[in-house]
Amino acid sequence: MNAQPLNVWVVDDDAAVRWVLEKALQGAGMTTRSFEHAEPFFAALREQHPDVVVTDVRMPGADGLEVMRRIESSGLGLPVIVITAHADLDSAVAAYRGGAFEYLPKPFDVDEAVALVWRAARAGLRPAANEPVPSAVIPQMIGQAPAMQEVFRTIGRLSRSSMTVLITGESGTGKELVAQALHQHSPRATKPFVALNTTAIAAELLESELFGHERGAFTGADSRRVGRFEQAHTGTLFLDEIGDMSPALQTRLLRVLAEGEFYRVGGQQPIRVDVRVIAATNQDLAAAVRESRFREDLFHRLNVIHIVTPPLRERREDIPLLLDHYLREAARELGAEPKAVASDALALLRGFEWPGNVRQLVNACRRLTVTAPGPEIQAADIPEELGGGTATLAGSPEWSNGLARWADQRLERGVDQPLLATALPEFEKALIRTALARAHGQRQEAARLLGWGRNTLTRKIRELQLDL
Ligand SMILES: Nc1ncnc2c1ncn2[C@@H]1O[C@H](COP(=O)(O)OP(=O)(O)OP(=O)(O)O)[C@@H](O)[C@H]1O
Ligand SMILES: [Mg+2]
């Protein structure tokens, strides 16, 4: 044990942040020193150095990235924690490439910050960043919601590693995009990224697809074939829809992962490969394990790092950003002017459930670019399938089916909260948003549409904390 208290230096132009951090770190038994700007910090660094540095990214004068570059070139190998309000994937990864240890988006939790400092101090010296920044284009991932920030942080944190990652999330939530980002921000970025959707290939062919085969291994095997595992050598193999693999193949996959070698179908020579595996599924793999549909040992091998891509309805604040991005994209594809979205139409789209998640939104943007007559998409332009029109309960069995599925899944997962306590507020919120959108924000009219008095509507909006 080190008898000396940890010495932490904080660089942030925001006095409130410095104060909060100093209090918290000192409360945890550390000593601190704070700097309002990077320059005095550089000067101090010439005389003395701390155990851990916490720095803001955006500051007047030299910024946090400059702080990291200086620390890096000092050769001290100091761990750095980067805090920033402008949390996006690129700056996260840029920060890690510069040798940072952790990434903390503002507003942060004080306890989390203290825990990060401990971790950073324990990790101690890090090897200098000498891998080149990948030149490949990063597919643009949009997300300011906390759940997406968590995804970005994990991608950043993994940018120097080749660990196995399991990505789970509903269909259309961006699992493949995450897999690509992981690869592009890894030391293997310049090596192959090989994707294989295990459900897209007939079960009898899947084995040879994965491991290749020798000539004559089976009827129709006219020549030798190199499988996906070999193609991905030194790179990344993305195994999509892993939850649907047959038990026999699960066993083989487990062996390859454990031993790093395999045989081609009909082959005698073991083949050694160095492959990073990223797996994805929209199934609940833990449940599949409980029901003996998925091997537990394979599950643990794949589930080294787990990334969950959140459903769009749980990050509604990102809907306007996504609409803006994909309406532009659709306009570019179609050679048209990008459409704007009127506020009542936006309210409808924000309130929509998006069962197909971002993929459904991408398609909706294409469709609306073609079908909306004016330069601005109106509520009346939104089709029933996207929550517009005159959907009646009886006319939308999808609606109640979806609800029944949801209830069933919660019971299945043993979620504690009573069904109605969770569902009723959501139900009311959806109806209120829709009525308000229709009524162009006029509460009197919206209340009439809902069948409530105006006061009830006002009270409900307050109780449900609806942000309109
Ligand atoms: N965060 C995001 N920002 C921007 N676009 C996104 C985001 N997430 C997903 N998309 C887009 O949504 C579409 C679906 O994404 P993707 O194919 O990665 O989903 P998935 O989870 O793999 O779905 P499935 O389970 O159906 O295979 C793609 O066009 C992708 O570019
Ligand atoms: Mg996919």
PDB file of all heavy atoms in Angstrom, residues 192 194 209 225-233 235:
ATOM      1  N   PRO A 192      -8.972  -6.596 -41.651  1.00  0.00           N
ATOM      2  CA  PRO A 192     -10.342  -6.845 -42.129  1.00  0.00           C
ATOM      3  C   PRO A 192     -11.404  -6.826 -41.037  1.00  0.00           C
ATOM      4  O   PRO A 192     -11.140  -7.205 -39.891  1.00  0.00           O
ATOM      5  CB  PRO A 192     -10.254  -8.245 -42.750  1.00  0.00           C
ATOM      6  CG  PRO A 192      -8.893  -8.754 -42.515  1.00  0.00           C
ATOM      7  CD  PRO A 192      -8.052  -7.702 -41.929  1.00  0.00           C
ATOM      8  N   VAL A 194     -14.945  -8.576 -40.860  1.00  0.00           N
ATOM      9  CA  VAL A 194     -15.752  -9.556 -41.580  1.00  0.00           C
ATOM     10  C   VAL A 194     -17.044  -9.779 -40.804  1.00  0.00           C
ATOM     11  O   VAL A 194     -17.014 -10.137 -39.623  1.00  0.00           O
ATOM     12  CB  VAL A 194     -14.989 -10.890 -41.730  1.00  0.00           C
ATOM     13  CG1 VAL A 194     -15.859 -11.931 -42.417  1.00  0.00           C
ATOM     14  CG2 VAL A 194     -13.697 -10.674 -42.504  1.00  0.00           C
ATOM     15  N   GLU A 209     -19.089 -22.051 -43.994  1.00  0.00           N
ATOM     16  CA  GLU A 209     -18.994 -20.602 -44.129  1.00  0.00           C
ATOM     17  C   GLU A 209     -18.050 -20.033 -43.059  1.00  0.00           C
ATOM     18  O   GLU A 209     -17.201 -19.199 -43.344  1.00  0.00           O
ATOM     19  CB  GLU A 209     -20.402 -20.018 -43.951  1.00  0.00           C
ATOM     20  CG  GLU A 209     -20.550 -18.571 -44.294  1.00  0.00           C
ATOM     21  CD  GLU A 209     -20.381 -18.273 -45.769  1.00  0.00           C
ATOM     22  OE1 GLU A 209     -20.820 -19.087 -46.596  1.00  0.00           O
ATOM     23  OE2 GLU A 209     -19.782 -17.214 -46.083  1.00  0.00           O
ATOM     24  N   ARG A 225     -12.106 -23.840 -49.742  1.00  0.00           N
ATOM     25  CA  ARG A 225     -12.694 -22.549 -49.461  1.00  0.00           C
ATOM     26  C   ARG A 225     -12.221 -22.036 -48.100  1.00  0.00           C
ATOM     27  O   ARG A 225     -12.211 -22.764 -47.125  1.00  0.00           O
ATOM     28  CB  ARG A 225     -14.205 -22.721 -49.440  1.00  0.00           C
ATOM     29  CG  ARG A 225     -14.881 -21.468 -49.120  1.00  0.00           C
ATOM     30  CD  ARG A 225     -16.311 -21.634 -48.766  1.00  0.00           C
ATOM     31  NE  ARG A 225     -16.717 -20.294 -48.353  1.00  0.00           N
ATOM     32  CZ  ARG A 225     -17.731 -19.652 -48.840  1.00  0.00           C
ATOM     33  NH1 ARG A 225     -18.481 -20.222 -49.728  1.00  0.00           N
ATOM     34  NH2 ARG A 225     -18.003 -18.439 -48.427  1.00  0.00           N
ATOM     35  N   VAL A 226     -11.839 -20.772 -48.082  1.00  0.00           N
ATOM     36  CA  VAL A 226     -11.398 -20.157 -46.837  1.00  0.00           C
ATOM     37  C   VAL A 226     -12.624 -19.593 -46.114  1.00  0.00           C
ATOM     38  O   VAL A 226     -13.429 -18.907 -46.716  1.00  0.00           O
ATOM     39  CB  VAL A 226     -10.390 -19.028 -47.151  1.00  0.00           C
ATOM     40  CG1 VAL A 226     -10.102 -18.198 -45.920  1.00  0.00           C
ATOM     41  CG2 VAL A 226      -9.102 -19.633 -47.691  1.00  0.00           C
ATOM     42  N   GLY A 227     -12.783 -19.951 -44.854  1.00  0.00           N
ATOM     43  CA  GLY A 227     -13.961 -19.509 -44.102  1.00  0.00           C
ATOM     44  C   GLY A 227     -13.797 -18.111 -43.529  1.00  0.00           C
ATOM     45  O   GLY A 227     -12.737 -17.493 -43.632  1.00  0.00           O
ATOM     46  N   ARG A 228     -14.881 -17.634 -42.936  1.00  0.00           N
ATOM     47  CA  ARG A 228     -14.875 -16.264 -42.409  1.00  0.00           C
ATOM     48  C   ARG A 228     -13.840 -16.077 -41.304  1.00  0.00           C
ATOM     49  O   ARG A 228     -13.270 -15.011 -41.150  1.00  0.00           O
ATOM     50  CB  ARG A 228     -16.253 -15.903 -41.863  1.00  0.00           C
ATOM     51  CG  ARG A 228     -17.357 -15.985 -42.883  1.00  0.00           C
ATOM     52  CD  ARG A 228     -17.188 -14.938 -43.960  1.00  0.00           C
ATOM     53  NE  ARG A 228     -18.183 -15.110 -44.992  1.00  0.00           N
ATOM     54  CZ  ARG A 228     -19.261 -14.340 -45.124  1.00  0.00           C
ATOM     55  NH1 ARG A 228     -19.454 -13.344 -44.307  1.00  0.00           N
ATOM     56  NH2 ARG A 228     -20.130 -14.575 -46.078  1.00  0.00           N
ATOM     57  N   PHE A 229     -13.649 -17.133 -40.511  1.00  0.00           N
ATOM     58  CA  PHE A 229     -12.659 -17.010 -39.435  1.00  0.00           C
ATOM     59  C   PHE A 229     -11.275 -16.706 -39.998  1.00  0.00           C
ATOM     60  O   PHE A 229     -10.557 -15.850 -39.490  1.00  0.00           O
ATOM     61  CB  PHE A 229     -12.601 -18.303 -38.600  1.00  0.00           C
ATOM     62  CG  PHE A 229     -13.263 -18.141 -37.266  1.00  0.00           C
ATOM     63  CD1 PHE A 229     -14.541 -18.640 -37.056  1.00  0.00           C
ATOM     64  CD2 PHE A 229     -12.622 -17.483 -36.227  1.00  0.00           C
ATOM     65  CE1 PHE A 229     -15.171 -18.474 -35.833  1.00  0.00           C
ATOM     66  CE2 PHE A 229     -13.236 -17.315 -34.992  1.00  0.00           C
ATOM     67  CZ  PHE A 229     -14.522 -17.814 -34.798  1.00  0.00           C
ATOM     68  N   GLU A 230     -10.919 -17.409 -41.072  1.00  0.00           N
ATOM     69  CA  GLU A 230      -9.609 -17.168 -41.666  1.00  0.00           C
ATOM     70  C   GLU A 230      -9.548 -15.810 -42.355  1.00  0.00           C
ATOM     71  O   GLU A 230      -8.540 -15.115 -42.294  1.00  0.00           O
ATOM     72  CB  GLU A 230      -9.290 -18.265 -42.689  1.00  0.00           C
ATOM     73  CG  GLU A 230      -8.606 -19.454 -42.074  1.00  0.00           C
ATOM     74  CD  GLU A 230      -8.309 -20.506 -43.137  1.00  0.00           C
ATOM     75  OE1 GLU A 230      -9.214 -21.337 -43.375  1.00  0.00           O
ATOM     76  OE2 GLU A 230      -7.221 -20.487 -43.716  1.00  0.00           O
ATOM     77  N   GLN A 231     -10.663 -15.426 -42.988  1.00  0.00           N
ATOM     78  CA  GLN A 231     -10.687 -14.110 -43.653  1.00  0.00           C
ATOM     79  C   GLN A 231     -10.460 -12.984 -42.647  1.00  0.00           C
ATOM     80  O   GLN A 231      -9.899 -11.957 -42.967  1.00  0.00           O
ATOM     81  CB  GLN A 231     -12.041 -13.877 -44.339  1.00  0.00           C
ATOM     82  CG  GLN A 231     -12.246 -14.687 -45.595  1.00  0.00           C
ATOM     83  CD  GLN A 231     -13.694 -14.594 -46.082  1.00  0.00           C
ATOM     84  OE1 GLN A 231     -14.467 -13.762 -45.628  1.00  0.00           O
ATOM     85  NE2 GLN A 231     -14.039 -15.467 -47.003  1.00  0.00           N
ATOM     86  N   ALA A 232     -10.933 -13.221 -41.435  1.00  0.00           N
ATOM     87  CA  ALA A 232     -10.857 -12.170 -40.423  1.00  0.00           C
ATOM     88  C   ALA A 232      -9.527 -12.196 -39.664  1.00  0.00           C
ATOM     89  O   ALA A 232      -9.347 -11.422 -38.716  1.00  0.00           O
ATOM     90  CB  ALA A 232     -12.024 -12.306 -39.446  1.00  0.00           C
ATOM     91  N   HIS A 233      -8.617 -13.061 -40.046  1.00  0.00           N
ATOM     92  CA  HIS A 233      -7.345 -13.198 -39.334  1.00  0.00           C
ATOM     93  C   HIS A 233      -6.674 -11.827 -39.140  1.00  0.00           C
ATOM     94  O   HIS A 233      -6.584 -11.051 -40.090  1.00  0.00           O
ATOM     95  CB  HIS A 233      -6.425 -14.139 -40.130  1.00  0.00           C
ATOM     96  CG  HIS A 233      -5.108 -14.365 -39.455  1.00  0.00           C
ATOM     97  ND1 HIS A 233      -5.002 -14.801 -38.155  1.00  0.00           N
ATOM     98  CD2 HIS A 233      -3.845 -14.202 -39.910  1.00  0.00           C
ATOM     99  CE1 HIS A 233      -3.725 -14.900 -37.834  1.00  0.00           C
ATOM    100  NE2 HIS A 233      -2.996 -14.538 -38.886  1.00  0.00           N
ATOM    101  N   GLY A 235      -7.930  -9.407 -37.804  1.00  0.00           N
ATOM    102  CA  GLY A 235      -8.955  -8.373 -37.760  1.00  0.00           C
ATOM    103  C   GLY A 235     -10.093  -8.753 -36.815  1.00  0.00           C
ATOM    104  O   GLY A 235      -9.861  -9.361 -35.772  1.00  0.00           O
TER     105      GLY A 235
END
